[in-house]
Amino acid sequence: MNYAEICIIKRDGKKEDFSISKIKNAITKAFNATGIVDEDKLIADVTMRVIGNFATSTITVEEIQDLVEKELMKIRPEVAKKYIIYREWRNTERDKKTQIKHIMDGIVAIDKNDVNLSNANMSSHTPAGQMMTFASEVTKDYTYKYLLSKKFATAHQMGDIHIHDLDYYPTKTTTCIQYDMDDLFERGFRTKNGSIRTPQSIQSYATLATIIFQTNQNEQHGGQSIPAFDFFMAKGVLKSFQKHLTSFLGFHLSMDGEAPEEKSIKTLVREHITSIKPDDYHREMLCMAMTSLRVNLKKEVLNRIIEKAYSSTRKDTHQAMEGFIHNLNTMHSRGGNQVVFSSINYGTDTSAEGRLVMEELLSTTMEGLGTRGEVPVFPIQIFKIKDGVSYSEEDYLKAMSDFEGAMSGKIRFSAPNFDLFLKACQTTAKALFPNFMFLDAPYNVNDLWRAEDPKRYRYELATMGCRTRVFENVNGKKSSLGRGNLSFTTINLPRLAIEAKIKAENLLETSNKDALEKESKEAFLKSVQDMAKLVADQLYARYQYQRTALARQFPFMMGNDVWKGGGELEPNGEVGDVLNSGTLGIGFIGGHNAMMALYGESHSHSQKAWDTLYEAIMQINKVADAYKAKYSLNYSVLATPAEGLSGRFTRMDRRKYGLIPGVTDREYYINSFHVDVKEPISILEKIKKEAPFHAITRGGHITYVELDGEAQKNVKAIAKIVKVMHDEGIGYGSINHPVDTCNACGYKGVIYEKCPVCQSENVFRMRRITGYLTGDLSTWNSSKRAEERDRVKHH
């Protein structure tokens, strides 16, 4: 071929004459970057091989670069890697000049692209949503250029890692928190425009809970959680009951002509009635105490008044729970019509007040929102399974022998809240929540927990958001209260596996499968360890930056001691060590895809693949433990709940390595250690395969199963699945099933293409995206929509 006739097509479409020197110079730079010099002959040979592969007289710059990579990989893989990295970096730098403009244009035009749909909880097409998205993209660019070191910025932009919430990086804020709401209620708290005193009724308790949610959400970018909702609301129930009892007693006595001051009656009621279901002794004590007011109160009269007060309190509690759920689904906390990313944990308060809270919460969740009973998206509800409290094997067997009787309340159980466990299963079958947290999984146990401790919730694990777990603490008590996640960053496991396989093939130059797999595995595990160290260093750098924030940047969270220790800070003082109770999460994604890259087999049916994935996560744990000891910080391993990320890594790796079956051939990577969503696996096998990973991902994890059909018609099946999770050592689990509503006639059930009643195609489809629910799949990004389509049902 006559080189003078060759035409090069540049990236902007323009043409230019061919130049051998440009190829030779690029290859020389790659050799020099690797530290290899005086290889002019080899460089010339590679250059001629590249040119010799030209198939036509017209070729693009990208095609030439692909040929350079291919030829370098044959002779000097380490040089090829430097060339690839440099090429990717140049692409990134080149894209910066036009990418922001392109992104901004998409926001203005409210395109349905993955930038606008990166958060299914945000309406990015509204003016406030557009402003949030504008700000997000601009601050990410600012973070790349001015805040991240080149090493970390390069790793993120190349797709080796993903630094989450980069748009919030400059604000120095933290991710999420678990509220000690009892402390807040007892002390009262301040907002921007005034102080709030201790609430005096269940309605006030529930309303103030939503205010705390909404206010603190504006000072963090992640989840907000109440770790013991039942315990915290119980005091409000008792106060409402005492208030009603005082009022009804006063009214009765006034009808009889005996009218002591209400304040005097209230004092005696509070002194002697400490439960909404007082026993005979306390009833008699109140009757006797009333004689001090010169009142002869008959016990049968008191019993009727107590019954009426209880009925009114139940009604108040139901309305309070109804208002709580409605507020959390309508009260916007940030731009883009975002409601609070809220979670509540409950299940272990055995008091009559706490039980009433749970009963009415579950009832109102089943009733749903609005006139058509829409399934509430928030709060994410988590029911705590605790042996002897909300669950027992004996009670389970009783319930299974007569499930209808168990659900109707005809069976007495030994565990005081087992009936609420059954109601939780019934609610899950209809509304997808609550999820289930297993407190007796060995890694979830706290030795300080005592059944007789009225504040035992302090030693119970709670979770938030999609799966964030904050429990162990090298700088304080093992507890979830008043703490949260500081930040987390995710490792691209499939890329490490792909490169390990390439390295092994180039190193061994053999077709021996066992030898290749052994070498690939060793290279993979080593690269996982190295990447985990990079992430640990990056998290530490971000932590050091977060420490410099001033307390006044978080007036509610620090000023009210919501984040424990913040209340001791001066407004202009740095938060510093107050943050050291938080967690730093080393996350990972694509375990399934990584195993497919190494072995061509999934860890769901290949033991060597399962073992390798487990070893890889243990490598991350070793790094987390080492850095925990080095810095005395709470490093943890997170099974990342990827929403936008699942597609980002895949797109980048497909461009870099091409279409690899089982690895880059879809629009998304599989979440964390999860079995492939397309895998036809039974419920029991899926749970067994995933359960051991929960113990080694203590920054957060979840296992879900996908059901077909109308689960609300088979509550018994839900209870069986929860038992399997309990028995197999799952830490946190959820159950997915279709929840569809016809917008035309209101029919609820599994709807395929058309409503079976009115034939309408206008259907609202409620689904779980990562750990939270969303309706209307059009709000999901393209990768998660593709994943949802691929999900098989488990049997």
CSV table of all heavy atoms in Angstrom, one decimal, residues 277 310 314 318 352 354-364 419-420 423:
chain,number,residue,atom,x,y,z
A,277,LYS,N,-52.3,-0.5,79.1
A,277,LYS,CA,-53.0,-1.7,79.5
A,277,LYS,C,-52.7,-2.0,81.0
A,277,LYS,O,-52.0,-2.9,81.3
A,277,LYS,CB,-52.7,-2.9,78.6
A,277,LYS,CG,-53.3,-2.8,77.2
A,277,LYS,CD,-53.1,-4.1,76.4
A,277,LYS,CE,-53.7,-4.0,75.1
A,277,LYS,NZ,-53.6,-5.2,74.3
A,310,TYR,N,-58.3,3.9,76.0
A,310,TYR,CA,-57.5,3.1,75.1
A,310,TYR,C,-58.0,3.2,73.6
A,310,TYR,O,-57.2,3.3,72.7
A,310,TYR,CB,-57.6,1.6,75.6
A,310,TYR,CG,-56.8,0.7,74.7
A,310,TYR,CD1,-55.4,0.5,74.9
A,310,TYR,CD2,-57.4,-0.1,73.7
A,310,TYR,CE1,-54.7,-0.3,74.1
A,310,TYR,CE2,-56.6,-0.9,72.9
A,310,TYR,CZ,-55.3,-1.0,73.1
A,310,TYR,OH,-54.6,-1.9,72.3
A,314,ARG,N,-55.8,4.4,70.5
A,314,ARG,CA,-55.6,3.6,69.3
A,314,ARG,C,-55.9,4.4,68.1
A,314,ARG,O,-55.1,4.4,67.1
A,314,ARG,CB,-56.4,2.3,69.4
A,314,ARG,CG,-56.2,1.4,68.1
A,314,ARG,CD,-57.1,0.2,68.2
A,314,ARG,NE,-56.5,-0.8,69.0
A,314,ARG,CZ,-55.5,-1.7,68.6
A,314,ARG,NH1,-55.0,-1.6,67.4
A,314,ARG,NH2,-55.0,-2.6,69.4
A,318,HIS,N,-53.2,5.4,65.2
A,318,HIS,CA,-53.4,5.1,63.8
A,318,HIS,C,-53.3,6.4,62.9
A,318,HIS,O,-52.6,6.4,61.9
A,318,HIS,CB,-54.8,4.5,63.5
A,318,HIS,CG,-55.0,4.0,62.1
A,318,HIS,ND1,-54.6,2.8,61.7
A,318,HIS,CD2,-55.5,4.6,61.1
A,318,HIS,CE1,-54.9,2.6,60.4
A,318,HIS,NE2,-55.5,3.7,60.0
A,352,ALA,N,-46.9,-2.6,75.7
A,352,ALA,CA,-48.2,-2.4,75.0
A,352,ALA,C,-48.2,-1.2,74.1
A,352,ALA,O,-48.8,-1.2,73.0
A,352,ALA,CB,-49.3,-2.2,76.1
A,354,GLY,N,-45.4,0.2,72.6
A,354,GLY,CA,-44.6,-0.1,71.4
A,354,GLY,C,-45.3,-1.0,70.4
A,354,GLY,O,-45.3,-0.8,69.2
A,355,ARG,N,-46.0,-2.0,71.0
A,355,ARG,CA,-46.8,-2.9,70.1
A,355,ARG,C,-47.9,-2.2,69.4
A,355,ARG,O,-48.1,-2.5,68.2
A,355,ARG,CB,-47.3,-4.0,71.0
A,355,ARG,CG,-46.3,-5.1,71.4
A,355,ARG,CD,-46.9,-6.2,72.3
A,355,ARG,NE,-48.2,-6.7,71.8
A,355,ARG,CZ,-48.3,-7.6,70.8
A,355,ARG,NH1,-47.2,-8.1,70.3
A,355,ARG,NH2,-49.5,-8.0,70.5
A,356,LEU,N,-48.6,-1.3,70.1
A,356,LEU,CA,-49.6,-0.5,69.4
A,356,LEU,C,-49.1,0.3,68.2
A,356,LEU,O,-49.7,0.4,67.2
A,356,LEU,CB,-50.4,0.4,70.4
A,356,LEU,CG,-51.6,1.1,69.9
A,356,LEU,CD1,-52.6,0.1,69.4
A,356,LEU,CD2,-52.2,2.0,70.9
A,357,VAL,N,-47.9,0.9,68.4
A,357,VAL,CA,-47.3,1.7,67.4
A,357,VAL,C,-47.1,0.8,66.2
A,357,VAL,O,-47.4,1.1,65.0
A,357,VAL,CB,-45.9,2.2,67.8
A,357,VAL,CG1,-45.1,2.8,66.6
A,357,VAL,CG2,-46.1,3.4,68.8
A,358,MET,N,-46.5,-0.4,66.4
A,358,MET,CA,-46.3,-1.3,65.3
A,358,MET,C,-47.5,-1.8,64.6
A,358,MET,O,-47.6,-1.9,63.4
A,358,MET,CB,-45.4,-2.5,65.8
A,358,MET,CG,-44.0,-2.1,66.1
A,358,MET,SD,-43.0,-3.6,66.6
A,358,MET,CE,-43.3,-3.6,68.4
A,359,GLU,N,-48.5,-2.1,65.4
A,359,GLU,CA,-49.8,-2.6,64.8
A,359,GLU,C,-50.4,-1.6,63.9
A,359,GLU,O,-50.8,-1.9,62.8
A,359,GLU,CB,-50.8,-2.9,66.0
A,359,GLU,CG,-50.5,-4.2,66.8
A,359,GLU,CD,-51.4,-4.3,68.0
A,359,GLU,OE1,-52.4,-3.6,68.1
A,359,GLU,OE2,-51.0,-5.1,68.9
A,360,GLU,N,-50.5,-0.3,64.4
A,360,GLU,CA,-51.1,0.7,63.5
A,360,GLU,C,-50.2,1.1,62.4
A,360,GLU,O,-50.7,1.5,61.3
A,360,GLU,CB,-51.4,1.9,64.4
A,360,GLU,CG,-52.4,1.6,65.6
A,360,GLU,CD,-53.7,0.8,65.1
A,360,GLU,OE1,-54.2,1.2,64.0
A,360,GLU,OE2,-54.1,-0.1,65.8
A,361,LEU,N,-48.9,1.1,62.6
A,361,LEU,CA,-48.0,1.4,61.4
A,361,LEU,C,-48.2,0.3,60.3
A,361,LEU,O,-48.3,0.7,59.1
A,361,LEU,CB,-46.5,1.3,61.9
A,361,LEU,CG,-45.5,1.5,60.9
A,361,LEU,CD1,-45.5,2.9,60.3
A,361,LEU,CD2,-44.1,1.2,61.4
A,362,LEU,N,-48.2,-0.9,60.7
A,362,LEU,CA,-48.4,-2.0,59.7
A,362,LEU,C,-49.8,-1.9,59.0
A,362,LEU,O,-49.9,-2.1,57.8
A,362,LEU,CB,-48.2,-3.4,60.3
A,362,LEU,CG,-46.8,-3.7,60.8
A,362,LEU,CD1,-46.7,-4.9,61.7
A,362,LEU,CD2,-45.9,-3.9,59.6
A,363,SER,N,-50.8,-1.5,59.8
A,363,SER,CA,-52.1,-1.4,59.3
A,363,SER,C,-52.2,-0.3,58.3
A,363,SER,O,-52.8,-0.4,57.2
A,363,SER,CB,-53.1,-1.2,60.4
A,363,SER,OG,-53.3,-2.3,61.2
A,364,THR,N,-51.6,0.9,58.6
A,364,THR,CA,-51.7,2.0,57.7
A,364,THR,C,-50.9,1.8,56.5
A,364,THR,O,-51.2,2.3,55.4
A,364,THR,CB,-51.4,3.3,58.4
A,364,THR,OG1,-51.8,4.4,57.7
A,364,THR,CG2,-49.9,3.5,58.7
A,419,ASP,N,-46.8,-12.4,66.9
A,419,ASP,CA,-48.0,-12.1,66.2
A,419,ASP,C,-47.7,-10.9,65.2
A,419,ASP,O,-48.2,-10.8,64.1
A,419,ASP,CB,-49.2,-11.8,67.1
A,419,ASP,CG,-48.9,-10.6,68.1
A,419,ASP,OD1,-47.7,-10.5,68.4
A,419,ASP,OD2,-49.8,-9.9,68.4
A,420,LEU,N,-46.8,-10.0,65.7
A,420,LEU,CA,-46.5,-8.8,64.9
A,420,LEU,C,-45.5,-9.3,63.7
A,420,LEU,O,-45.6,-8.7,62.7
A,420,LEU,CB,-45.8,-7.8,65.7
A,420,LEU,CG,-46.7,-7.1,66.7
A,420,LEU,CD1,-45.9,-6.1,67.6
A,420,LEU,CD2,-47.8,-6.3,66.1
A,423,LYS,N,-47.9,-10.3,61.2
A,423,LYS,CA,-48.5,-9.1,60.5
A,423,LYS,C,-47.5,-8.4,59.6
A,423,LYS,O,-47.9,-7.9,58.5
A,423,LYS,CB,-49.0,-8.2,61.6
A,423,LYS,CG,-49.9,-7.0,61.0
A,423,LYS,CD,-50.7,-6.3,62.0
A,423,LYS,CE,-51.6,-5.3,61.3
A,423,LYS,NZ,-52.5,-4.6,62.3
